[in-house]
Every structure is written in structure tokens, then in C-alpha cells.
Amino acid sequence: MSNQSPMAKYNPMHHNPLRTRDDLAQATRDIIAPCLPFLAERPGRLALGSTAAVYETVVAEFEGFARLFWGMLPFFAGGYRYEEAEQALRAGIIAGTDPEHESFWGEPGDLLRGHRDQRLVEMAPIGLALAMCPQLFWDPLTPDEKARLARWLKLCMERPYNDNNWLFFRVMVSLGLSRVGVEVDSQAVEAHLDRLESFYVAKGWYEDGVMGRYDHYIAFAMHFYGLIYAQLAGERDPQRASRFRQRAARFAPDYAAWFADTGAGLPYGRSLTYRFAHASFWGALAYAGCTPYGWGTLKGLALRNLRYWSRQPIAHTNGVLSLGYGYANPAMIEEYSTDGSPLWALKAMLPLAMPADHPFWTAEEEPHPLDPTHIAFQPDPKFELFRHEGDVFAAAGGQSAISSGAGASFRNAAAKYAKFAYSTAHAFSVELDPRHPQNGAFDNALALKSPGDAHWRVREGNESFRRERNAMVATWRPWPDIAIETWLLVAAPWLVRLHILDADRSLMGIEGGFAVDRSGDDHVGNTDASAVNGADAIAAFPAGSSAIRDLLGQRHGEVIYASANSNLLFPRSAIPSLRCEMTPGVHVLATAVVTSASLPALQQLLAAGPDLPDWFAQKLETLAGVPS
């Protein structure tokens, strides 16, 4: 009988301690290895499954192939060898850039059904292959093969890009072409670099172009590419390289607040199927010689995240990374996600490019740099973050789920950007069907429905936002004629919410707390899912517990068993919720939510209740007397 952990079937890194340089190299091999048989069938095309994206199949297969380079380039640059992978990647480049070969990737165009060409994204690691490992991916090519590769890469100088982090991809290609002596359009590259710098906001934060998103892309795209540029082009562009390093160093403390003591990153925003790409920022800091913290702290932040992911079922049984977050879950992916998309997680392997005697590798890991009592407001993502039981919790003032230009059609954008709170311990849930509460999975959301409506409505964006004292205040509209003013207050470990609305019609309301994992326990008798005094709801399972309280005692509690695969971390989840029916008029809803890994600890928190500041308690008392 095998004593192998069942998790090993679903994670190629599961038995890897992920503490040394050789551990990271082995993890890279283990993630790449299951993909190589697919390349033997057709060089340069990685068809890992049948999931489609908004772009053509040939582009999706090129994407999967190109993303292998994010892991293999630092692996090779650091002196490791993997002959089979080296040959497959080189053969793929030769075939993919040959118009006469059946694997030809095609030429990037301008627009396809309203979208920029994804080839422009995936060109970047091919260009970096020439910058980081020319001895493997340029020198062995014949003169004709070199000419075809150079011609194909140079097409990126002629094509339009999305006005966001995509602009870095032309820059990455230029680094490779310049490294092997191929002339590039320096003005086009400078224009992209200047435009990228125009996205800088302050205190280390960029916005991701015209979308104005503030999420993990700021770390694993804007800063990640900037730090690679600083390292590879710093000698000829020292002033810009210095700016990129300084901004990344200033951003680091804010981003560190997004990581739990376990290494888990905060699930928030789009493209979460890239998983441990979150750790790539810490490796890029080290690669570029940028040290806002000591080497041991950077090492800990990078490797703890990888160790966290080594414990999650994130691969198919053949070892190929799956689409999803904490498990295989296509419900949460974007329309641009294909079976090869998760390989972007390999960006976390960049530290392999540093030699074994680099201080990043010789240093002892240090614990998380932030104090456990750390509470901080971050104005760009509109977060108030705190730590509880080693996990990260964020009260979220709300970014818009609707944007103009690129990214306007993100799936489940309201869930990814506009819920009232997010957490590394509980993740968040996506809406599978807004007609039913269990399918809507309204964790950390206020969902409203008028009697004639079939659909529940939640916040999708704000009409206005301000900071008042230590609370975040936003106005949003579930319908054009109904405005809701929501106050968010951190009373750690509690999150407190106050909603003020004036409706000219009757409404039904459901407000949820944090979802909890209900897997591993298949009968309700082992849970405490009861309403206490009619105004509390508690969901308690072996894996953790969560509670929600109506501070004014107007609503009744219940536990909603959400539809399977709605939560990003838990295939089966339960959401403590408050339900009410409102007549026309002014209504005030006051809510407090709290969680704990153990039910006894949660019960102690419930007995004490949230410690509200005097000004907020007075405001609540005043509003409680407002007639409806």
C-alpha cells in the first residue's frame, strides 16, 4: 500500500521543501516536465487541454509554450541543465517563427474582435531568451533561423498595444534583440517606457494603464518587468533603472501587507489563476539588487508563498497546473485564460538566475517583516489591512467592476474588485447565478432584490469615495434611482459595516460574512449553524468558523450553503448571512463580521463584540433612531 499523500497527485511541488536554490530548481523541473510530452507532438505549440480563450487556438498554444520560458530562463541562466527542455524550447522557437512550418505562430495583427493580439504578450519571454540565454536560443541557430526569429520579433515594433502593462512587452523584446546585435526601433521602445512611467502614481504605486486597476498586476507586471529592465539595461539607462528600483523598494512594505504569515497572498482582482506569480515581485527585487528589506526577509517572503502553494491541489493528476485558484475551478477564470495560462506562475522562479553564493541564497530566512498588530490604509486599492491569527484581512472601499477600454469585460469583476472585504484565510466567492442566494454566493456583499426582480444586485462600483476619520465611505447604486452610503470600519479583528439607503419601493436584502470551508464534514450535525438571538449567524466547521452580527438587531441570521465551486479556496463553502425585508423609506443596516480558525475562539470574540470608537458608536446610535 502506498503511503504517498493524496495531495501529491494534485501538486508537482508537494514533497519539495522549497528552502534552497536546488529545491527551487527541482520545482521548476517538476512543473515543466509534464508539459514536454505535448511539445513532442508539435514543436512550439503547447495544447494542454480544450479550454478556449477569446483568441485563436494557435495563439493559445503559443501562449502555453512561451510561458515555459519564465521558469526555464532563470533555470538555465543560473547554470542548471535540462537537456530535454532545452531542445524542446529551441525547436519550438525555430518551428514557431518559420512561415513554412505547420507550427508557425502567425504574425501579430492590430485587432481581433476588439482585442489586441495576445502574441504581443507572449513575445516577451521569447525576447528575454535572447537577453538571458543567447548561448542556448540564438547562437545554435542557423543564419536563416536567426533571420526569421529576428524578423518575427521585430513585428512587435509595428503593432499597437493595450495601453497598460502590455507596453513592457515591446521593451522586453528589445532587450533580447539588442543583446544579440539586432537593431531595434529605439524611439518606439522609448515611447513605451515613457508611457509606462506616466502610470506612476505615488509611494511606489502605479496604476495599470487606462483601466486604473490596483491589484497584483502592479507587483507581478509593472514592477516585475521594471526590475528586469533595471538589471539588464541599467548600465545604458541608469537614471530610469534607478527610478524603477526606488519605486519598487517603496512599494514593498505595502505589498508585504498582502501576505499572510503562511505565505499566502491576498486573493483579489483578476488573473488569480497565475497563483504563485504573486511571489515573483520578491524574487525580482533580489534579482535587481533592490533591498528594501534584508536578504533573509526577501527570501522568506518569496519561498513561503511557494511553500503555501505546494500544499494546495493546483494541478491535474498528470502534473499540469490547472485553471483555478485553490483548486481546479474554471468558474473564476478570465476570458483570456487558457490551459497554458497558469504557467505564468513560473515568473516566481526568477531567483534561480542568481548564483548559489548570492546573499539571497546564503541568507537564513527571516519571518514576515510586519508586526502582527499592523493596520494600514492603502489609498490606491482602497484597502484597510490588518492581520488576525496570521492571516491578512482587508476592508475594501471598492474599485469599479466596470471600466472603459481594456479589461471592461472581466468576468465576475464585481466579486474580484467590489466586495466589502477580502482575506487570505477565506478568499472570496464568485457569482454563478444572480437569481438564487446559494448561486450568488454573496460573501462580504450586500445583495438586494425588489419583489418584481429575478436577480439580486450587489455593488459593482462607487459613485463617490472618501476617507472620514478612520473609516472608508462610499456611495454606490444597485439601481440608478437608489443610492446607498456604506461605511467600512476596521475594529480588528472585527470588520464593521454601516449601510444607509432610501428606497421608494420594498426590497429584500441578504448580507454575507466570510465564507468557510465545509469540506471534510458531511453532516450538518457537526456544525453550529444557528441564529443567536435572531441577529447572529455562525458557520463553524472543522476547517474554520465565521460569524456575522446585525448590530441593530433588525435582521435574522442564517447560514447559506453556497453552490459548489463558487469560493476560490473551498470547493464546498458556507456563508453566515443576514436576511431582511424592507418597506419603502430610509433604512440603516449595521453589520459586524469576524472569523477564527477555532469555534471556541470565535465564541469568545462574539461574547465580547466589536470595540467601536466613540464617534462611530454615537453615529450608530443616532442613525438607529431614524424612522423608516
Side-chain angles (χ1 to χ4, degrees):
M1 179 180 293
S2 172
N3 60 1
Q4 184 183 52
S5 165
M7 183 63 69
K9 296 190 301 182
Y10 302 106
N11 196 310
M13 303 188 297
H14 183 62
H15 292 301
N16 191 326
L18 291 165
R19 293 189 177 276
T20 69
R21 187 169 182 262
D22 286 345
D23 291 341
L24 196 62
Q26 186 60 50
T28 305
R29 289 179 64 102
D30 290 340
I31 293 169
I32 297 290
C35 301
L36 296 184
F38 294 89
L39 294 178
E41 300 172 9
R42 196 171 187 187
R45 300 278 197 93
L46 191 58
L48 296 174
S50 57
T51 303
V54 68
Y55 38 86
E56 314 102 298
T57 299
V58 58
V59 182
E61 293 175 355
F62 166 48
E63 173 191 271
F65 170 78
R67 295 191 174 192
L68 297 174
F69 283 83
W70 289 113
M72 294 314 299
L73 290 178
F75 180 95
F76 291 136
Y80 290 97
R81 298 301 302 272
Y82 189 177
E83 194 71 27
E84 183 183 359
E86 176 187 324
Q87 292 176 359
L89 295 179
R90 186 164 56 240
I93 285 178
I94 293 169
T97 55
D98 183 355
E100 303 301 319
H101 198 284
E102 65 174 358
S103 289
F104 181 53
W105 296 325
E107 296 187 355
D110 293 343
L111 284 173
L112 177 66
R113 300 176 189 90
H115 294 266
R116 299 296 186 196
D117 200 308
Q118 184 71 18
R119 293 176 185 86
L120 298 172
V121 175
E122 312 309 332
M123 281 179 161
I126 306 300
L128 282 175
L130 307 186
M132 296 180 70
C133 302
Q135 75 281 6
L136 299 180
F137 301 111
W138 180 260
D139 297 344
L141 274 57
T142 68
D144 285 347
E145 290 165 351
K146 290 178 179 177
R148 286 194 292 267
L149 173 56
R151 176 193 171 276
W152 187 82
L153 285 173
K154 287 179 73 172
L155 291 172
C156 77
M157 301 294 167
E158 307 167 8
R159 300 293 187 259
Y161 284 70
N162 285 330
D163 194 25
N164 58 12
N165 72 87
W166 276 42
L167 301 178
F168 261 121
F169 301 132
R170 176 182 287 172
V171 178
M172 298 294 102
V173 171
S174 75
L175 292 174
L177 290 174
S178 298
R179 172 69 173 78
V180 298
V182 176
E183 187 177 350
V184 298
D185 184 344
S186 60
Q187 289 186 332
V189 175
E190 284 293 317
H192 272 203
L193 284 166
D194 290 344
R195 178 60 175 158
L196 284 160
E197 291 209 65
S198 76
F199 299 149
Y200 184 67
V201 181
K203 297 181 180 178
W205 283 86
Y206 291 86
E207 59 181 349
D208 188 15
V210 297
M211 293 184 294
R213 301 287 187 192
Y214 299 94
D215 53 24
H216 286 285
Y217 270 82
I218 309 306
F220 67 49
M222 300 298 288
H223 282 299
F224 180 80
Y225 303 130
L227 289 166
I228 289 178
Y229 180 86
Q231 179 65 15
L232 297 181
E235 288 188 7
R236 63 176 175 80
D237 193 359
Q239 292 185 341
R240 198 189 307 269
S242 177
R243 290 196 297 272
F244 284 159
R245 288 187 174 101
Q246 290 173 4
R247 292 168 184 167
R250 196 159 190 195
F251 175 75
D254 276 1
Y255 197 49
W258 289 34
F259 286 79
D261 292 352
T262 60
L266 184 68
Y268 177 76
R270 67 203 193 276
S271 298
L272 291 173
T273 197
Y274 301 156
R275 295 181 174 113
F276 43 94
H278 296 171
S280 66
F281 173 72
W282 308 115
L285 285 171
Y287 176 71
C290 183
T291 53
Y293 296 115
W295 293 110
T297 298
L298 287 182
K299 184 178 182 179
L301 286 164
L303 297 187
R304 276 193 300 273
N305 184 256
L306 286 166
R307 291 198 291 271
Y308 167 81
W309 284 111
S310 75
R311 299 188 293 270
Q312 314 305 321
I314 59 173
H316 301 293
T317 53
N318 65 355
V320 172
L321 297 182
S322 62
L323 284 164
Y325 191 66
Y327 57 97
N329 181 6
M332 54 72 63
I333 64 174
E334 267 64 57
E335 63 173 0
Y336 53 77
S337 301
T338 71
D339 293 286
S341 295
L343 289 167
W344 235 27
L346 289 167
K347 294 165 80 172
M349 306 307 178
L350 185 58
L352 287 174
M354 300 180 293
D357 61 356
H358 191 282
F360 178 88
W361 290 117
T362 59
E364 293 293 326
E365 279 191 38
E366 296 289 343
H368 197 288
L370 295 182
D371 186 277
T373 61
H374 177 81
I375 299 177
F377 173 64
Q378 296 182 1
D380 298 299
K382 299 183 177 68
F383 277 172
E384 183 94 27
L385 296 124
F386 68 94
R387 312 180 78 76
H388 172 50
E389 297 182 348
D391 276 296
V392 174
F393 290 78
Q399 296 188 52
S400 178
I402 303 170
S403 67
S404 60
S409 60
F410 289 141
R411 289 178 180 165
N412 287 305
K416 293 169 181 175
Y417 289 98
K419 287 185 184 279
F420 300 132
Y422 296 86
S423 169
T424 55
H426 305 275
F428 63 88
S429 304
V430 294
E431 190 176 274
L432 303 180
D433 182 345
R435 293 172 297 178
H436 307 287
Q438 67 270 28
N439 294 333
F442 304 129
D443 58 328
N444 289 301
L446 174 62
L448 299 168
K449 185 166 81 77
S450 59
D453 267 357
H455 298 82
W456 293 84
R457 298 170 183 250
V458 297
R459 181 170 71 166
E460 295 184 352
N462 294 332
E463 186 176 88
S464 65
F465 176 86
R466 72 181 188 274
R467 178 96 166 144
E468 186 165 324
R469 300 201 185 190
N470 58 334
M472 293 179 286
V473 187
T475 301
W476 55 283
R477 293 180 182 269
W479 291 270
D481 60 333
I482 295 181
I484 300 177
E485 184 177 83
T486 292
W487 292 63
L488 300 178
L489 177 75
V490 170
W494 291 81
L495 290 162
V496 179
R497 309 194 281 252
L498 174 64
H499 311 288
I500 307 166
L501 66 153
D502 185 357
D504 62 356
R505 53 189 178 275
S506 298
L507 295 173
M508 292 177 283
I510 295 175
E511 185 170 5
F514 286 98
V516 292
D517 183 3
R518 65 184 178 98
S519 59
D521 181 29
D522 289 330
H523 50 242
V524 176
N526 284 348
T527 72
D528 180 5
S530 59
V532 180
N533 295 326
D536 282 8
I538 304 168
F541 292 83
S545 57
S546 174
I548 188 169
R549 168 172 291 173
D550 186 331
L551 294 174
L552 298 179
Q554 299 172 338
R555 294 170 286 177
H556 64 272
E558 64 177 276
V559 173
I560 294 176
Y561 293 82
S563 289
N565 308 316
S566 53
N567 186 270
L568 268 65
L569 281 179
F570 318 130
R572 299 170 65 242
S573 63
I575 304 171
S577 304
L578 300 171
R579 189 187 287 260
C580 66
E581 294 186 6
M582 294 175 277
T583 57
V586 176
H587 291 270
V588 177
L589 307 176
T591 310
V593 299
V594 69
T595 76
S596 178
S598 75
L599 180 57
L602 181 74
Q603 289 171 331
Q604 290 182 3
L605 291 169
L606 287 168
D611 184 13
L612 301 177
D614 290 344
W615 71 268
F616 191 87
Q618 292 169 4
K619 181 179 184 65
L620 194 60
E621 183 178 352
T622 300
L623 287 171
V626 175
S628 61

